[in-house]
Amino acid sequence: MQGNYERIIASIRIARERGATLRVGPELEIPGYGCLDHFLEGDTVLHSWEILGQILANEVCKDIVCDVGMPIIHKNVLYNCRVIIHNGKILLIRPKMWLANDGNYRELRYFTPWMKHRKTEEHFLPRIVQHVTGQTKVPFGDAVVSTADTCIGVELCEELFTPASPHILMGLDGVEIFTNSSGSHHELRKLYTRVELIKEATLKLGGVYLYANQQGCDGDRLYYDGCAMIAVNGKIVAQGSQFSLNDVEVVSATIDIEDVRSHRTWKSRGMQAAEAERYERIEVPMALSGEGQDFLGDVPISKGIEVRYHRPEEEIALGPACWLWDYLRRSRTQGFFIPLSGGIDSCATSVIVYSMCRLVAEAAARGDKQVIADARRIAGEPAESIWMPTDPRELAGKIFHTCYMGTENSSSDTRGRAKRLAEAIGAYHIDLNMDAIVLAVRNLFAVVTGVKPKFRVHGGSEAENLALQNIQARLRMVLAYMFAQLLPFVRGRTGGLLVLGSANVDESLRGYLTKYDCSSADINPIGAISKTDLKKFILYARDAFKLPILDDFLNAVPTAELEPITETYVQADEADMGMTYDELSVFGRLRKVEKCGPYSMFTKLLHEWGTTLSPEQIADKVKRFFFEYARNRHKMTTLTPSYHAESYSPDDNRFDLRPFLYPVRFPY
């Protein structure tokens, strides 16, 4: 947790330099939000107390109220807590009351919610902290902090999203400043909901809302997308970046607390406040506004700003790119390897890597020492190197490796597109034919069984046709890992490469992939992004990144190229699947987001598609989808860990928990 300690201290130092008197950090910032089952280990709690002791003892934390997060065991029960500290003392430990336990979140697996609302108890501190603070026990529970000039209340992440959020009752009891420490992950088009909730929290109620969120990859499929904010009376007055390579980012604002008081003068609010239940107030002998009337003389009050939103295609360019960089530097590998097929999916993954290289180059140009040091280490530069990673194509040439693995079924079009794309982004590219390996496997099977399988176009059965396609796909996975292990050695370096997958969310949902083929990889930046959104991203990147080669990918028909091409037959993805990618997106959202089974999906689609399709046609499409989904669900158990970006992701790890053995023949 030493790195987290250093980042916390750095954020407090920056806040103090800006004249701040209140600092709020993200949820569980001392150990990190993504500890998962490690929260159940006593070591995690012990080491969190050790880090808190170091924070309390650090001189940089003087004369500023700090809100930090960690797990705490109170009376043998584990809670997700905020610890409010000031001048080496703990003022209050505030446990989370409403836990996130949907989708990617499993907080009830580790923590227990605090159920004694507006009540506190005494918490006896461990001796390692007693020696620092001189305190034996501190208040633990649902209370607020009262300074000489205002009152501060705590709200934790999910509590903002609940119908009866704590800020409502706290605000009616006179709390003027609300802090929210969050561990909220990125999802396409999600930020608007978060911003509107923060604005609404203080629009009717009046008040100042300080929202802090983690930013970066915390060791799993999620990217926490920052965007720290400060709102006053329903207006955003400060906003941080949503995607960044920065280890520390501080958002600050200067506010006039009298604006809150004037906002709260309307009578109906006063009548409700007059009968509000009382919160216990923990008093701290300091004023957030400083001493004297001249404190704000030369400091302008922060005004409302227009909230910055990225378009979905920009989110795809930035979010997965930041996630890849965090994963790459923390795994201490030497770069990436991808089988580049000439299709739009592996193209999109490659362009995201190029976007990552662009972000690294921009950070290096700004003089970000951490990014420069990480880039030099990953690129295999010697310790004394002065090389600067300011050219994204040069950086890609050092750390990104692409390979076209052709067979007799591959076309010159896909081979040429793959080569030109690699050249455009600067990747280290290999072009090979793997027919000899495929033929060797086919011949081995023929020798052992006496039967030589044939493709369908050559008179073979469906079983033979599918098996011959799967041989090619799986051999590409084997070759990918071999090249990923040995290419750094070939180039005179040490270490290995991370293999990138490129199966999109729609193909995974439908099961249109071979189990343990080259969709099996170390990580996949597009595994929860739809084909429709990927096309929009490629169109955006064509212009934003000046890559005209991407037009060729947009105009190409998606094809697996696993069957022989004849004068009358060319394999096409949508024809193979029996449904379009746009239809798959609709099915996916209805199945997961709208929680529809076959019947309810059919009834909803009657209204959506009823003007163009008959009820029988709609029923056939729904049946086809659920048939393919059911018989391919087992493939979800082996999906490559993917960047979570879509609300209908079929990720079986923890987001979409369902059986993987289904009855395929539904009695409709």
Side-chain angles (χ1 to χ4, degrees):
M1 301 177 188
Q2 185 63 26
N4 288 345
Y5 165 74
E6 292 170 0
R7 286 182 279 271
I8 291 168
I9 292 300
S11 70
I12 297 172
R13 181 179 293 109
I14 294 170
R16 285 195 60 186
E17 289 171 354
R18 296 182 184 177
T21 51
L22 173 60
R23 176 266 182 200
V24 183
E27 188 171 9
L28 293 165
E29 61 183 313
I30 288 180
Y33 186 82
C35 289
L36 304 179
D37 277 1
H38 290 295
F39 284 124
L40 301 174
E41 300 168 2
D43 286 9
T44 304
V45 178
L46 171 64
H47 297 321
S48 295
W49 278 117
E50 290 174 339
I51 295 299
L52 180 64
Q54 294 179 44
I55 295 171
L56 286 161
N58 197 303
E59 288 296 318
V60 78
C61 301
K62 298 296 183 183
D63 301 323
I64 182 171
V65 175
C66 293
D67 178 346
V68 297
M70 60 180 278
I72 292 177
I73 297 176
H74 176 68
K75 294 183 177 180
N76 303 121
V77 179
L78 183 62
Y79 295 97
N80 174 353
C81 296
R82 302 305 300 175
V83 184
I84 315 301
I85 64 175
H86 178 253
N87 283 352
K89 303 289 185 182
I90 296 176
L91 303 176
L92 170 68
I93 299 174
R94 199 312 204 144
K96 192 172 184 177
M97 297 186 294
W98 308 110
L99 302 184
N101 213 60
D102 302 288
N104 286 298
Y105 296 102
R106 292 289 181 273
E107 290 184 10
L108 282 171
R109 181 181 175 95
Y110 326 113
F111 304 112
T112 299
W114 179 253
M115 304 304 293
K116 302 172 184 178
H117 299 176
R118 290 183 297 279
K119 294 180 181 178
T120 63
E121 298 176 351
E122 293 180 334
H123 180 77
F124 287 84
L125 297 174
R127 285 172 292 177
I128 54 174
V129 175
Q130 290 182 25
H131 295 323
V132 177
T133 66
Q135 299 166 289
T136 304
K137 53 190 178 182
V138 296
F140 184 103
D142 185 18
V144 298
V145 174
S146 180
T147 68
D149 52 356
T150 188
C151 190
I152 306 165
V154 176
E155 191 165 75
L156 270 85
C157 194
E158 180 73 8
E159 295 173 355
L160 170 65
F161 292 80
T162 56
S165 297
H167 68 258
I168 299 171
L169 294 179
M170 287 192 293
L172 291 175
D173 192 39
V175 172
E176 296 173 325
I177 299 175
F178 310 97
T179 69
N180 187 309
S181 304
S182 184
S184 186
H185 66 273
H186 172 241
E187 204 171 83
L188 293 176
R189 307 171 179 88
K190 175 184 174 183
L191 181 60
Y192 178 82
T193 300
R194 192 190 303 161
V195 172
E196 289 304 302
L197 284 170
I198 291 171
K199 290 165 61 177
E200 190 273 338
T202 57
L203 179 61
K204 288 197 302 182
L205 193 63
V208 180
Y209 206 97
L210 281 68
Y211 175 84
N213 189 24
Q214 287 195 156
Q215 188 172 67
C217 168
D218 205 9
D220 63 3
R221 293 160 172 79
L222 306 182
Y223 178 81
Y224 299 91
D225 59 338
C227 207
M229 284 174 279
I230 301 174
V232 179
N233 297 339
K235 296 180 180 178
I236 303 297
V237 299
Q239 178 188 3
S241 66
Q242 188 177 6
F243 309 104
S244 171
L245 302 187
N246 297 330
D247 272 355
V248 177
E249 182 176 271
V250 177
V251 174
S252 57
T254 301
I255 58 98
D256 186 351
I257 203 68
E258 290 298 327
D259 290 340
V260 174
R261 292 162 186 167
S262 62
H263 190 87
R264 290 180 170 181
T265 56
W266 39 287
K267 295 306 177 184
S268 57
R269 183 264 170 197
M271 287 185 283
Q272 291 186 345
E275 62 177 13
E277 293 190 47
R278 178 184 178 276
Y279 279 80
E280 179 183 348
R281 278 165 161 72
I282 309 299
E283 297 183 0
V284 52
M286 61 93 69
L288 293 186
S289 57
E291 300 295 333
Q293 297 300 313
D294 297 330
F295 179 70
L296 296 179
D298 58 350
V299 180
I301 301 298
S302 300
K303 302 296 183 182
I305 61 172
E306 184 176 347
V307 178
R308 300 188 303 275
Y309 294 104
H310 293 288
R311 290 178 292 161
E313 47 268 38
E314 292 176 309
E315 292 184 80
I316 296 171
L318 297 171
C322 292
W323 181 75
L324 284 178
W325 177 247
D326 268 358
Y327 201 102
L328 179 61
R329 68 189 185 116
R330 292 176 61 184
S331 66
R332 302 191 77 82
T333 47
Q334 278 57 60
F336 297 117
F337 177 91
I338 186 172
L340 193 55
S341 68
I344 200 166
D345 291 332
S346 60
C347 165
T349 298
S350 300
V351 174
I352 288 171
V353 175
Y354 181 62
S355 177
M356 180 201 79
C357 293
R358 287 169 54 91
L359 292 175
V360 171
E362 291 169 5
R366 294 194 303 268
D368 189 315
K369 294 180 180 179
Q370 185 63 58
V371 170
I372 294 170
D374 287 334
R376 286 173 178 167
R377 174 179 54 78
I378 293 166
E381 292 292 311
E384 65 277 7
S385 173
I386 59 171
W387 172 71
M388 293 289 287
T390 52
D391 183 342
R393 294 188 74 257
E394 181 186 15
L395 177 61
K398 290 177 177 287
I399 69 172
F400 189 37
H401 306 70
T402 60
C403 180
Y404 183 83
M405 302 180 184
T407 69
E408 62 183 359
N409 302 318
S410 304
S411 68
S412 58
D413 290 341
T414 54
R415 188 184 296 271
R417 283 200 298 271
K419 182 180 180 180
R420 293 194 300 276
L421 175 62
E423 290 174 350
I425 63 178
Y428 181 91
H429 185 64
I430 296 171
D431 189 311
L432 61 85
N433 286 315
M434 50 181 278
D435 288 317
I437 305 174
V438 176
L439 183 61
V441 175
R442 290 178 67 181
N443 288 339
L444 174 64
F445 184 85
V447 169
V448 173
T449 66
V451 176
K452 189 169 185 177
K454 296 180 292 186
F455 282 105
R456 179 173 50 199
V457 297
H458 297 150
S461 65
E462 286 296 326
E464 293 172 273
N465 193 63
L466 187 59
L468 289 177
Q469 293 183 68
N470 290 343
I471 288 169
Q472 300 166 70
R474 289 183 174 125
L475 285 174
R476 286 183 173 127
M477 183 271 287
V478 174
L479 286 175
Y481 273 95
M482 180 180 179
F483 277 92
Q485 278 188 289
L486 292 178
L487 274 181
F489 165 75
V490 170
R491 302 185 70 187
R493 302 174 188 171
T494 59
L497 308 173
L498 291 167
V499 179
L500 296 180
S502 56
N504 64 65
V505 69
D506 298 322
E507 290 171 350
S508 297
L509 178 67
R510 160 63 174 73
Y512 186 64
L513 54 90
T514 300
K515 206 171 185 179
Y516 304 116
D517 68 350
C518 59
S519 66
S520 297
D522 292 312
I523 51 175
N524 180 358
I526 69 165
I529 302 176
S530 71
K531 193 82 159 189
T532 303
D533 281 335
L534 285 176
K535 288 181 178 178
K536 293 177 182 177
F537 160 65
I538 292 298
L539 184 62
Y540 160 80
R542 180 197 64 187
D543 301 326
F545 300 165
K546 296 180 173 59
L547 295 172
I549 176 61
L550 298 183
D551 268 331
D552 294 347
F553 289 86
L554 287 167
N555 297 326
V557 176
T559 174
E561 290 195 335
L562 294 172
E563 295 183 77
I565 299 172
T566 69
E567 292 183 0
T568 59
Y569 178 74
V570 176
Q571 188 176 20
D573 290 353
E574 291 187 336
D576 278 357
M577 292 189 298
M579 56 195 75
T580 68
Y581 284 106
D582 288 341
E583 288 172 346
L584 271 171
S585 292
V586 173
F587 293 145
R589 292 186 190 281
L590 290 174
R591 180 199 70 97
K592 177 66 178 175
V593 182
E594 301 296 328
K595 302 174 179 62
C596 290
Y599 177 74
S600 53
M601 183 181 291
F602 167 71
T603 57
K604 283 183 177 291
L605 289 177
L606 279 177
H607 297 284
E608 291 188 30
W609 294 351
T611 57
T612 56
L613 297 174
S614 69
E616 291 77 11
Q617 290 174 312
I618 295 172
D620 286 342
K621 287 181 178 291
V622 172
K623 290 176 184 179
R624 177 66 183 269
F625 167 72
F626 275 100
F627 169 76
E628 297 294 352
Y629 169 76
R631 73 169 179 164
N632 287 298
R633 177 66 191 178
H634 65 95
K635 297 179 182 178
M636 300 306 98
T637 63
T638 63
L639 277 184
T640 294
S642 301
Y643 177 95
H644 179 86
E646 186 55 80
S647 58
Y648 68 90
S649 168
D651 169 38
D652 187 68
N653 173 260
R654 69 178 182 190
F655 183 70
D656 190 39
L657 304 181
R658 300 170 192 250
F660 55 85
L661 177 60
Y662 273 103
V664 175
R665 302 294 176 183
F666 293 100
Y668 291 107

